[in-house]
Every structure is written in structure tokens, then in C-alpha cells.
Amino acid sequence: MTKIGIILGSTRPGRNGEAVAKWVTEIASRRTDAEFELVDLADYPLPHLDEPMSAAWGNYQNDHTKAWSAKISEFDGFVFVTPEYNHSTSGVLKNALDYLYAEWNNKAAAFVSYGGVGGARAVEHLRLIASELQLATVRAQVAISLLTEFKDFREFTPSDYLEPQVDTMLDQLVAWSKALAPLHAAPATADADEVEETVAA
Ligand SMILES: Cc1cc2nc3c(=O)[nH]c(=O)nc-3n(C[C@H](O)[C@H](O)[C@H](O)COP(=O)(O)O)c2cc1C
């Protein structure tokens, strides 16, 4: 069965992201074409990147990296739930992405964002980062306005029109996750030529 990780990309006390990620997970769990799991970055505490070697080598020294690698390796695709911080994604999500490489490669990604303009600028940055990680990003995304979809900017009160957007996004994500499965099914190994190309790029 295709497995999709829904990554909750904010860890701030009082974060709005938790309600958004749970809402996405609830909609996704009604589907039968894939299994969905909420992955809260708060449950995978990663310090600022502290691995001596580039993730492209897959040679991890720290237990927190190995635990994160094992979790992400389980999935065929991802929904990144991201806030917009200073016109980009959160530092904690960028750090979590930087920790790994092969675990992301040849998989599909979709985005749910929230912010003053729906978090659109955060997702534009994330699409660039995803391309370097060989994550294929689907077109459909869900951009949630802090002004209209959160009471007093705090309580998530999603309008009905958003739910079909989640399903359209998941339709694209599941299709690409299945299509890419043969490419990421083989265990990731560090190929010296490929790593050198990655480091040089
Ligand atoms: C450090 C920081 C920077 C922010 N920068 C932006 C921004 O550039 N654009 C925007 O629309 N909202 C911005 N916001 C508002 C956040 O989108 C809003 O607080 C959102 O709820 C943050 O997600 P979280 O509650 O899950 O942490 C910022 C908030 C924080 C804490």
C-alpha cells in the first residue's frame, strides 16, 4: 500500500499548524488509495544540523538522524504542512529536510500552507528546495488564509471550499507517489559519482 507522510512543519508553542495538519489527516484518512500518517516534527527533535558528512552520503552518526531517516524511509510521498515565516518556510522544516537526502529522492510532494497570503511564498521556496532533493512536487496545493480561515488568527475554522482542494491535491500526490515507487523501491546507497555531482552542484 502506498504510504504518505503528512509532515507538520511547525513546532512553535501555540502553533496553528497542528490544527491544519490534523484537518488534512482527517480528510486523507477517508481515502482508500493510500495510507496516511501524521508526522509531527515536535516528535523528532533535531538540533541544528550536526552531522559531519553531507546527507548525500547517507552515513549518519547520530541517533536522532537515524530515527528521522527510518521514519522518512517508510513513505512514498509527503504532504508538507508549512507556515510562512518571513516569506519562507519554517527553519525547523528546512533543517529536517537538510538532514536527509536519499530518503526524499524519487518521491512525490504536495503542500498545504497558511499565512497572510495563504503561505504562498513559503511554498514557492519549498518547491525549489524539493527539486534539489529530487522530490517531485504536484501542482495542486492548498493555500489557507490566516485572515479568513482562522478566528482571531488562532482558531482554525476552514471554509467548505477548502476540502475539495485537499482531495484534488491528494489525487495528484497519490498518483505520482505510485508512479515513482519503482524508482525509490531500491535501498538507497551512496554512489560516489552521484554524491560528488550533488556536492559540486
Ligand atoms: C517568525 C514569524 C514570521 C512570520 N512571517 C510571516 C510572513 O512573512 N508572512 C505571513 O503571511 N505570515 C507570517 N507570520 C505569521 C504566521 O504565518 C502565523 O503566525 C502562523 O500561524 C504561523 O504558523 P504556526 O502558528 O504553525 O507557527 C510569521 C510568524 C512568525 C512567528
Side-chain angles (χ1 to χ4, degrees):
M1 177 64 105
T2 299
K3 280 195 76 177
I4 304 291
I6 299 172
I7 313 277
L8 167 44
S10 80
T11 54
R12 198 176 61 86
R15 59 193 174 168
N16 282 323
E18 185 167 349
V20 176
K22 285 182 173 168
W23 171 77
V24 173
T25 306
E26 204 277 313
I27 296 168
S29 65
R30 294 179 215 145
R31 301 173 65 102
T32 55
D33 54 356
E35 287 174 7
F36 299 87
E37 179 180 329
L38 179 56
V39 179
D40 186 345
L41 292 185
D43 294 332
Y44 294 87
L46 298 165
H48 286 159
L49 183 60
D50 65 351
E51 285 290 338
M53 296 180 76
S54 163
W57 290 100
N59 185 4
Y60 305 132
Q61 294 200 353
N62 298 313
D63 287 345
H64 53 251
T65 314
K66 291 173 188 166
W68 182 232
S69 167
K71 175 47 65 180
I72 294 306
S73 295
E74 292 177 14
F75 299 110
D76 302 293
F78 305 94
V79 178
F80 292 99
V81 178
T82 182
E84 180 168 309
Y85 291 164
N86 296 314
H87 288 201
S88 188
T89 190
S90 63
V92 72
L93 178 52
K94 176 63 163 62
N95 191 49
L97 287 161
D98 291 343
Y99 256 95
L100 307 178
Y101 182 65
E103 296 85 345
W104 304 117
N105 291 176
N106 298 316
K107 297 179 180 179
F111 304 97
V112 175
S113 57
Y114 49 98
V117 289
R121 294 165 293 213
V123 172
E124 290 301 293
H125 274 184
L126 269 172
R127 287 184 186 278
L128 288 173
I129 296 161
S131 70
E132 177 58 15
L133 292 170
Q134 300 186 62
L135 270 168
T137 64
V138 302
R139 178 178 182 273
Q141 68 188 67
V142 181
I144 302 171
S145 169
L146 265 183
L147 307 176
T148 61
E149 309 304 315
F150 291 83
K151 189 166 171 252
D152 301 327
F153 299 97
R154 287 288 304 117
E155 185 190 344
F156 185 41
T157 53
S159 301
D160 290 345
Y161 78 91
L162 287 169
E163 193 168 316
Q165 292 189 3
V166 175
D167 266 317
T168 300
M169 177 193 72
L170 293 176
D171 288 346
Q172 295 183 2
L173 178 69
V174 172
W176 280 21
S177 296
K178 289 181 191 295
L180 287 168
L183 291 183
H184 66 253
T189 52
D191 175 271
D193 290 340
E194 190 187 336
V195 172
E196 277 169 27
E197 283 168 22
T198 301
V199 172

